[in-house]
Amino acid sequence: MIESRSFEELVAEAEAEPTEGWDFSWFEGRATEARPSWGYQRAMGERMARAAAALDVQTGGGEVLAGIPARPPLCVATEAWPPNVAKATALLHPLGTVVVAAPEEPPLPFADGAFDLVVSRHPVKPHFDEIARLLRPGGTYFAQHVGPASVFELVEYFLGPQPEEVRRARHPDDERAQAEAAGLEVVDLRTERLRMEFLDIGAVVHFLRKVVWMVPGFTVAAHRDRLRELHERITADGPFVAHSSRTLWEARKPAAS
């Protein structure tokens, strides 16, 4: 059982686990996270089935896009991190989706108005001007963003209290203003905070290695003392509880007059 394993064993196992892609099955039995009520993958799949040309921005390992039942005649995904590009290519090419290695920063290598649907799950940063450029008039941006102060109980455990401007980053009100400034009409915007539980220190280590922007520069060597303290806390008191923040986005480019 995980509870009986030592700090060193749990940490060594988590350090050895590969981090490419967005498959979180390794966390089964070791961490839990409630899911947003809107069911992003299902809702995205419904829109994909109706689209003529679609783009999935920052697809990761392609797992979410691969899980939908139908794709439009033209379906393209972008990804920046080389290990994820390789994983997404292997997963999505057999499904008829082209994977393009492209940086997170714009411009993306596509013509103006190339897509009637742009989707993204947890983009590092939504570039609304670029999204508006890529959409055809009447086209839709549908996405799930990471919201403000997501998993900050864990972030602040390692980094200490964060300033208000850091806690507010990715606030939906600010992103709405950015989207509207880019000429998009916001159709739906919802945010939920969702309970997370880390059941052992290995889950914490793997999470911080995989989601690298949570504690920038995280390594076990640099944070061993705090990790050991957290291991002892989980062993004595039970799971470490945090809360993720998720925002559902649907915005449209106005139809041509």
Side-chain angles (χ1 to χ4, degrees):
M1 294 191 49
I2 289 174
E3 293 87 345
S4 64
R5 296 171 62 190
S6 71
F7 171 79
E8 289 77 12
E9 289 173 320
L10 293 167
V11 167
E13 180 186 18
E15 281 196 290
E17 184 67 18
T19 58
E20 66 268 14
W22 290 116
D23 178 2
F24 283 78
S25 59
W26 186 87
F27 289 98
E28 186 174 350
R30 314 184 70 148
T32 63
E33 179 182 356
R35 297 302 181 194
S37 61
W38 48 73
Y40 172 74
Q41 186 181 49
R42 174 194 53 76
M44 184 265 280
E46 293 171 354
R47 287 159 177 78
M48 280 279 184
R50 300 193 298 265
L55 172 65
D56 182 19
V57 178
Q58 298 178 31
T59 195
E63 297 88 352
V64 176
L65 186 57
I68 64 173
R71 288 158 191 76
L74 176 62
C75 190
V76 182
T78 66
E79 175 56 32
W81 192 42
N84 277 351
V85 172
K87 186 169 185 179
T89 298
L91 187 60
L92 295 175
H93 273 201
L95 301 175
T97 296
V98 176
V99 177
V100 177
E104 293 168 357
E105 296 295 319
L108 292 174
F110 308 110
D112 296 0
F115 304 98
D116 57 286
L117 176 65
V118 174
V119 303
S120 191
R121 181 180 180 273
H122 303 175
V124 175
K125 179 181 179 181
H127 297 280
F128 289 109
D129 287 336
E130 183 71 351
I131 292 163
R133 181 185 75 80
L134 294 172
L135 283 173
R136 297 170 182 168
T140 295
Y141 174 62
F142 187 76
Q144 181 174 291
H145 292 183
V146 175
S150 188
V151 203
F152 261 43
E153 296 94 339
L154 189 61
V155 170
E156 295 187 329
Y157 176 84
F158 288 97
L159 300 182
Q162 298 296 291
E164 181 57 31
E165 61 267 23
V166 174
R167 297 186 63 86
R168 185 179 173 85
R170 305 302 301 270
H171 196 286
D173 291 347
D174 300 336
E175 291 190 340
R176 176 193 283 273
Q178 296 164 14
E180 291 175 343
L184 298 174
E185 299 174 346
V186 178
V187 176
D188 195 3
L189 187 60
R190 290 179 259 166
T191 295
E192 293 181 0
R193 291 192 69 80
L194 305 156
R195 183 182 176 91
M196 300 177 68
E197 294 186 355
F198 294 89
L199 308 184
D200 73 85
I201 199 62
V204 172
V205 169
H206 186 54
F207 179 79
L208 293 178
R209 291 180 61 239
K210 194 174 185 74
V211 191
V212 295
W213 52 88
M214 287 292 173
V215 178
F218 172 82
T219 64
V220 169
H223 297 89
R224 182 170 290 274
D225 290 344
R226 289 294 278 165
L227 286 167
R228 187 178 291 278
E229 290 172 11
L230 186 53
H231 168 71
E232 293 171 356
R233 172 174 163 182
I234 292 172
T235 301
D237 301 332
F240 181 88
V241 176
H243 295 83
S244 64
S245 178
R246 301 287 181 258
T247 302
L248 179 71
W249 267 90
E250 185 166 15
R252 292 193 188 127
K253 184 173 181 176
S257 58

